[in-house]
Amino acid sequence: MSDFPWLTVLIALPLVGAAVLTALPSGRDALVKQFALGVSLVVGVLTLVMAAAFDPGGARFQFEEKYDWIPAFGVHWAVGVDGVALTLVVLSVILVPLVMLASWSEDDRSGGVDVPAKRSVKTYFALLLTLEAAMIGVFAATDVFLFYVFFEAMLIPVYFIIGYFGGAQRSYAAVKFLLYSLFGGLIMLVAVIWLYPLSAKPEAEGGLGQGTFLFAELSQLNIDPTTAKWLFLGFFIAFAIKAPMVPLHTWLPDAAQQAPAGALVLIVGVLDKVGTYGMLRFCLELFPGAAKWATPVVLAFAVLSIIYGAVLAIGQVDLKRLIAYTSVSHFGFIVLGIFAMTSQGQSGAALYMINHGFSTGALFLLVGFMIVRRRSARIGDYGGVQKAAPVLAGAFLLAGLSGLSLPGLSTFVSEFLVIVGTFSRYEWAAVLAVSGVVLAAIYILWTYQRTMGGPATPAVEGMKDLTAREKWAVAPILAIIVAMGFFPQPVLNVINPSVEQTLVRVDQRDPAPTVAENGARP
């Protein structure tokens, strides 16, 4: 099985599916949806088969492929996955078919009331498949230049999804998303290109003797501290925009308010993880000295993101903007765990990427269902939904409780690991971050009270409960949230070996417990 080109096939299949969709005759919407869903399910099954063959105790990168792409510049088609990348690929391929199922209805206007009632189904589903290919590619790339190509390629389908299928301000939100992302991407491109001459230096000068963009080889470079700091910043700014971290986060609330809810599941649940994944993979391992140099400042911004995002979430009147700001807060926890430089913190951060994808994905899907029924995303236009649609309200409560890290649900484990891992080295950051947990309880429970509780408003009294299709779209995510809350160890077993390799590269060890002179802990 290791000789089969798993990752190349997984990247190619959605692209071929998107091409076939564009060739199908117009007016065959049912066939378009069935074909797109079928392709995404095949990709999902193949990914799960590949994941079952992954050996956590084996080589760090598995299912590797490497072919010359642009030999003159040392660029390769090089793909492979370690434990962290594998779990993010699995997250992507699980969410895509569920998003398609949730977007099945002809009357889905979850982007807003001003979305055209008759959208181009063929275009929408082709864009989703294209986005799936880019998401798999960006997590699988082991050539830094190839990673950058996929990093930028993701922008294209997202831009058109927001700009064509979004709400009244869709053009503004799409352009803002594109400009922010391109700004970060161009800075990172300078840093990526800079790596080539550094690797081409003779070995005596800290180079490799030949120019390359392969991650495994670049991680062996001996870069002088000043240059490493500039390169670190080039990568980090791009990833901080994508993550998104305060103060580079402002594109997300606008995109969230305008984009269709189904697409938001992938934008916030998967695409934004490229930022935190890039920090863990590239910022720390390519520039370990610079990463340690920047850690105090990064931790300060991570704590600021946690508190700022949570406070702004409390004050929102739009459901999609509210969830977007909660994500800013959650990403602060992920960055905090990464730069805590401890095994618990980084394992918790990697697990948090997965758990946030599922909990936020469920919330966006359910909010999308509510918007389709009520034709509004304003919290004030709801009330008493649990009486009219008890299944929808119950599912929303479960997803929301996961978002506030209730014990027994998936996000609790990852958030606990992040806080414990941070406290062992940076007590001040962990103590301040705990305030985000309290604020999360406020914005989730207050939102539930205002939308689901109380007497049903006249406009809500006739609201339909979840249909069978909608239940199939959200039930697998809720099941995963519960399962990973009680039994996260299988996923941690896959993640931990990669985290250990990262810590070795950064030359960090978990702090030893302080012991008093008499042998007792103080």
Side-chain angles (χ1 to χ4, degrees):
M1 294 182 69
S2 60
D3 295 331
F4 185 76
W6 287 102
L7 294 167
T8 298
V9 169
L10 292 176
I11 295 168
L13 269 178
L15 288 177
V16 173
V20 173
L21 280 184
T22 60
L24 291 176
S26 300
R28 303 291 301 275
D29 291 350
L31 176 62
V32 165
K33 296 173 185 176
Q34 293 164 5
F35 180 80
L37 180 62
V39 171
S40 67
L41 289 174
V42 170
V43 173
V45 170
L46 288 176
T47 303
L48 294 178
V49 172
M50 180 188 73
F54 184 85
D55 180 11
R60 178 181 180 182
F61 287 95
Q62 300 178 33
F63 314 111
E64 287 190 283
E65 305 167 51
K66 186 176 73 172
Y67 310 100
D68 287 338
W69 182 19
I70 312 175
F73 297 101
V75 179
H76 298 78
W77 173 269
V79 290
V81 289
D82 64 352
V84 176
L86 177 66
T87 55
L88 289 169
V89 171
V90 171
L91 169 68
S92 305
V93 302
I94 289 176
L95 290 180
V96 169
L98 298 179
V99 167
M100 290 183 176
L101 198 59
S103 306
W104 204 267
S105 173
E106 292 287 352
D107 195 31
D108 179 7
R109 300 191 209 176
S110 57
V113 295
D114 297 306
V115 178
K118 184 63 176 178
R119 63 184 185 181
S120 174
V121 173
K122 183 166 64 172
T123 301
Y124 185 75
F125 280 81
L127 288 171
L128 289 179
L129 286 177
T130 305
L131 181 56
E132 181 177 32
M135 291 188 301
I136 296 172
V138 78
F139 293 125
T142 55
D143 180 284
V144 178
F145 190 87
L146 180 64
F147 170 84
Y148 173 79
V149 170
F150 281 119
F151 183 87
E152 295 290 74
M154 291 188 303
L155 305 182
I156 301 171
V158 174
Y159 171 78
F160 285 108
I161 287 173
I162 299 174
Y164 184 62
F165 298 98
Q169 301 296 319
R170 52 188 175 270
S171 297
Y172 168 79
V175 170
K176 186 174 182 179
F177 161 78
L178 187 65
L179 291 178
Y180 268 70
S181 300
L182 284 177
F183 174 75
L186 289 174
I187 294 176
M188 185 171 72
L189 178 60
V190 174
V192 169
I193 294 174
W194 198 345
L195 288 170
Y196 183 82
L198 292 176
S199 64
K201 287 183 177 181
E203 294 184 17
E205 298 179 19
L208 302 172
Q210 61 177 1
T212 184
F213 288 103
L214 290 173
F215 170 76
E217 297 183 11
L218 290 175
S219 63
Q220 304 304 313
L221 281 176
N222 184 15
I223 307 173
D224 73 86
T226 301
T227 302
K229 290 174 183 177
W230 284 110
L231 291 170
F232 171 87
L233 289 174
F235 278 83
F236 181 81
I237 291 172
F239 295 145
I241 291 173
K242 186 72 72 177
M245 286 185 67
V246 173
L248 303 173
H249 68 289
T250 59
W251 64 268
L252 179 60
D254 292 324
Q257 187 174 16
Q258 301 302 321
L264 277 175
V265 174
L266 301 180
I267 294 171
V268 182
V270 181
L271 263 70
D272 288 356
K273 304 302 188 307
V274 176
T276 48
Y277 168 79
M279 293 178 191
L280 184 63
R281 169 61 43 78
F282 298 104
C283 288
L284 267 61
E285 297 203 40
L286 293 182
F287 322 109
K292 288 189 282 188
W293 161 77
T295 290
V297 176
V298 175
L299 290 178
F301 277 104
V303 171
L304 177 62
S305 295
I306 291 170
I307 299 173
Y308 181 83
V311 170
L312 262 67
I314 293 173
Q316 296 306 304
V317 297
D318 182 280
L319 282 167
K320 292 198 290 182
R321 288 183 72 91
L322 185 149
I323 300 173
Y325 277 113
T326 69
S327 296
V328 172
S329 182
H330 292 155
F331 275 103
F333 277 106
I334 298 173
V335 175
L336 186 70
I338 291 171
F339 282 87
M341 305 288 187
T342 62
S343 59
Q344 298 98 328
Q346 291 190 354
S347 292
L351 185 64
Y352 212 135
M353 294 186 218
I354 310 304
N355 292 334
H356 174 267
F358 287 121
S359 62
T360 303
L363 283 173
F364 272 126
L365 287 182
L366 291 165
V367 166
F369 297 152
M370 293 166 62
I371 295 172
V372 168
R373 287 159 168 75
R374 183 68 180 83
R375 292 288 186 266
S376 174
R378 289 181 56 83
I379 295 174
D381 290 336
Y382 292 88
V385 173
Q386 63 185 5
K387 296 180 180 179
V391 176
L392 191 158
F396 186 91
L397 179 61
L398 180 60
L401 292 176
S402 176
L404 64 82
S405 301
L406 183 76
L409 299 177
S410 59
T411 313
F412 170 77
V413 180
S414 45
E415 198 163 282
F416 179 80
L417 286 172
V418 166
I419 293 174
V420 169
T422 304
F423 189 83
S424 63
R425 177 160 281 151
Y426 302 101
E427 295 182 8
W428 65 270
V431 170
L432 291 173
V434 170
S435 63
V437 180
V438 178
L439 294 171
I442 296 174
Y443 61 66
I444 289 295
L445 297 179
W446 193 32
T447 300
Y448 183 85
Q449 180 186 36
R450 288 182 290 169
T451 56
M452 307 296 170
T457 61
V460 170
E461 285 181 350
M463 179 180 289
K464 294 189 302 181
D465 210 340
L466 295 182
T467 64
R469 172 184 59 82
E470 291 167 339
K471 291 175 182 176
W472 276 108
V474 76
I477 303 179
L478 299 180
I480 292 172
I481 288 173
V482 174
M484 289 187 63
F486 283 97
F487 197 45
Q489 195 59 49
V491 181
L492 286 171
N493 289 340
V494 174
I495 289 171
N496 286 340
S498 179
V499 167
E500 292 170 4
Q501 292 290 329
T502 301
L503 288 174
V504 169
R505 173 60 182 158
V506 186
D507 192 24
Q508 292 282 9
R509 302 289 184 274
D510 289 335
T514 303
V515 180
E517 292 183 1
N518 61 3
R521 293 187 181 184

